[in-house]
DNA sequence: GGTCGATCTCGTCAATATGACGATAAGAGG
DNA sequence: CCTCTTATCGTCATATTGACGAGATCGACC
């Protein structure tokens, strides 16, 4: 194995075999999705440092030596949004359904012009947060509607590709899981959940059939009893998310229509 | 950001900010699944070097500085099995359906006792290969039935966890995709495809309903015309895999039964 | 108070998919 | 020819979906 100047790190342990060991920088990047004003939005920061200074980017940072990938992702999420996620998600509670999962690893050779750096992308789904809270390190963090991003070409590094993958993962997971509740507050109505689906998928759903599907799936919703009127019409029953995670059979996604 | 002795690499580019940059070793590990003698098998190698010398492990190795993660995975796959995958999979052809996809990144702090090394796991599905071909670097490579692995505790590093995730990914993907054809040769019968499902899921399926489902799904199978008799019964029609990748609606997975 | 508009919730009905299983087709081997 | 084995087609009850009607219950307005 040859060593390539400029990307080769130090072998720090003599027991490491010399069979291709190379050191890489490792970061985590977050695709934090939420729904604001009936639009699917992603949290972006404006970079202050080179490379891509001034460009929009996904929030992220280097993985510290004393933390796992998931811990680094939770730390970045907390720094950017103030959301503190416990190590283990609380099962079946009134927790507002913030969701965090690993998306994929990205390791194109020239994805960072400085050195060989690979990133582990995470996908977070969160209810509409009160304020982006321009975090400790981010120059300016803001939720940007995904549909409003011009050609995605303005994003730093390969973040456009990561964002596309994250949105597609979210769209796919709504089909066969109950993850849409992660976009909702602790208590929500069936209509609010339906608008989550319509917003993420970009397609209208029949309110009657949707109501039948979600209320008829055991474990999807857990009624809390009272109801509320938020939209001027008949008051809607409030629910919490249940303990079911998978949908069998899946919810069918209609083809998206142009808004 | 403090530097921790033993895991810290060299910053090779002076423009890199000192905000937590740490160097990691990066490997790819492969979960190569196939079906042999009606059993789901995984390719394992016996380690010759410390750590975990003598233990079984997933095949893998360090990512070289001049290759992407996917390229490293394809290289390892070729070294272990002799399967040469093109950069882009040929769409809708007589290619025996070898499939390779990224599984997940694993970055537990102490997963390698030598240094901070993280691995990007890939999942490969292949038809029954003629011979494991004890590759160039692997001391001994062999397909081991997944069900025969005692407690999975004998695998090196965190490979038991990776293997479990890979098998579960494969099981889930058979439900909503046409990926089961990746376990079949270029031409196969409906019964062979059904045995793939039964083997991976560990549950019997009704032959008549399965036949109706796969032949009734447009793009799943493409008839090649002639038929063949392989099992002593009525000859079965031969098919190639079609161009469809997703199943709508999904195939239902019955609960697994103990063999 | 009555009307209107909006929204929620329950029902109906045809079309489609599934699970269970009978029946027939077409080979091998005696 | 008979039997055994497997492949393929068909039937029927049940479950799910898509399309849509209709009543329920609020706020707004006159």
């Amino acid at each position: 194995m040859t060593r390539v100047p400029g990307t080769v790190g130090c072998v720090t342990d003599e027991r490491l075999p010399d069979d291709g060991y190379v050191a890489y920088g490792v970061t985590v990047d977050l695709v934090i999705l939420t729904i604001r004003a009936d639009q699917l939005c992603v949290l972006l920061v404006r970079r202050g440092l080179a490379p891509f200074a001034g460009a929009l980017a996904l929030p992220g940072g280097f993985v510290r030596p004393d933390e796992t990938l998931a811990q680094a992702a939770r730390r970045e999420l907390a720094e950017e949004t103030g959301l503190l996620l416990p190590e283990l998600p609380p099962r079946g509670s009134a927790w507002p359904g913030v969701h965090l999962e690993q998306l994929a690893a990205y390791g194109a050779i020239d994805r960072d012009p400085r050195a060989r750096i690979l990133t582990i992308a995470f996908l977070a789904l969160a209810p509409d947060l009160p304020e982006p809270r321009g975090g400790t390190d981010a120059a300016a963090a803001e939720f940007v509607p995904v549909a409003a991003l011009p050609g995605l070409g303005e994003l730093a590094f390969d973040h456009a590709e990561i964002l596309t993958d994250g949105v597609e993962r979210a769209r796919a997971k709504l089909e066969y899981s109950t993850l849409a509740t992660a976009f909702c507050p602790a208590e929500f109505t069936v209509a609010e959940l339906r608008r989550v689906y319509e917003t993420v998928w970009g397609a209208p759903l029949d309110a009657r059939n949707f109501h039948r599907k979600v209320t008829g799936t055991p474990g999807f919703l857990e009624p809390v009893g009272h109801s509320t009127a938020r939209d001027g019409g008949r008051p809607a029953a409030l629910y919490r998310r249940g303990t079911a995670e998978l949908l069998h059979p899946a919810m069918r996604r209609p083809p998206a229509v142009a808004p």
Side-chain angles (χ1 to χ4, degrees), chain A:
Chain A
M1 190 56 227
T2 58
R3 295 292 175 83
V4 175
T7 59
V8 175
C10 298
V11 176
T12 58
D13 187 314
E14 294 310 316
R15 288 170 300 169
L16 277 174
D18 189 26
D19 60 350
Y21 180 87
V22 178
Y24 298 84
V26 177
T27 59
V28 293
D29 286 313
L30 268 61
V31 179
I32 307 173
L33 298 179
T34 194
I35 292 180
R36 286 167 89 92
D38 281 339
Q39 285 199 297
L40 182 66
C41 297
V42 60
L43 187 72
L44 296 178
V45 299
R46 199 162 289 278
R47 284 182 62 84
L49 300 173
F52 298 101
L56 287 173
L58 297 173
F62 285 102
V63 178
R64 297 177 181 169
D66 58 345
E67 62 187 3
T68 67
L69 301 174
Q71 284 167 352
R74 277 193 296 272
R75 173 176 55 77
E76 291 289 341
L77 181 65
E79 288 176 3
E80 300 294 340
T81 67
L83 281 169
L84 285 172
L85 280 186
E87 192 90 12
L88 294 174
R91 306 247 18 90
S93 68
W95 183 262
V98 184
H99 173 82
L100 182 65
E101 70 176 41
Q102 196 187 111
L103 182 57
Y106 295 83
I109 296 171
D110 291 322
R111 59 176 300 279
D112 190 308
R114 297 167 294 180
R116 186 74 194 270
I117 293 180
L118 63 94
T119 195
I120 317 297
F122 282 76
L123 174 66
L125 310 183
D128 192 0
L129 303 167
E131 258 314 291
R133 199 188 108 170
T136 40
D137 61 346
E142 52 180 337
F143 279 109
V144 178
V146 171
L149 288 171
L152 293 171
E154 301 180 4
L155 265 52
F157 305 107
D158 52 359
H159 288 187
E161 179 189 0
I162 298 175
L163 173 57
T164 301
D165 291 350
V167 170
E168 184 46 42
R169 168 82 65 95
R171 288 192 173 128
K173 277 211 143 184
L174 290 208
E175 290 189 47
Y176 61 90
S177 78
T178 63
L179 220 52
T181 57
F183 285 113
C184 297
E187 296 190 348
F188 53 91
T189 68
V190 174
E192 287 167 350
L193 184 64
R194 174 168 50 83
R195 272 187 280 275
V196 167
Y197 274 91
E198 292 175 331
T199 303
V200 175
W201 283 350
L205 298 176
D206 184 274
R208 284 88 44 113
N209 293 336
F210 182 85
H211 189 278
R212 176 181 59 191
K213 174 74 174 175
V214 296
T215 57
T217 299
F220 199 160
L221 299 181
E222 199 176 286
V224 294
H226 51 292
S227 24
T228 189
R230 306 198 223 233
D231 287 309
R234 169 177 170 178
L238 283 173
Y239 296 88
R240 269 202 267 269
R241 55 198 198 109
T243 55
E245 296 188 329
L246 260 31
L247 248 42
H248 270 297
M251 184 107 49
R252 290 187 81 104
R253 160 158 56 153
V257 297

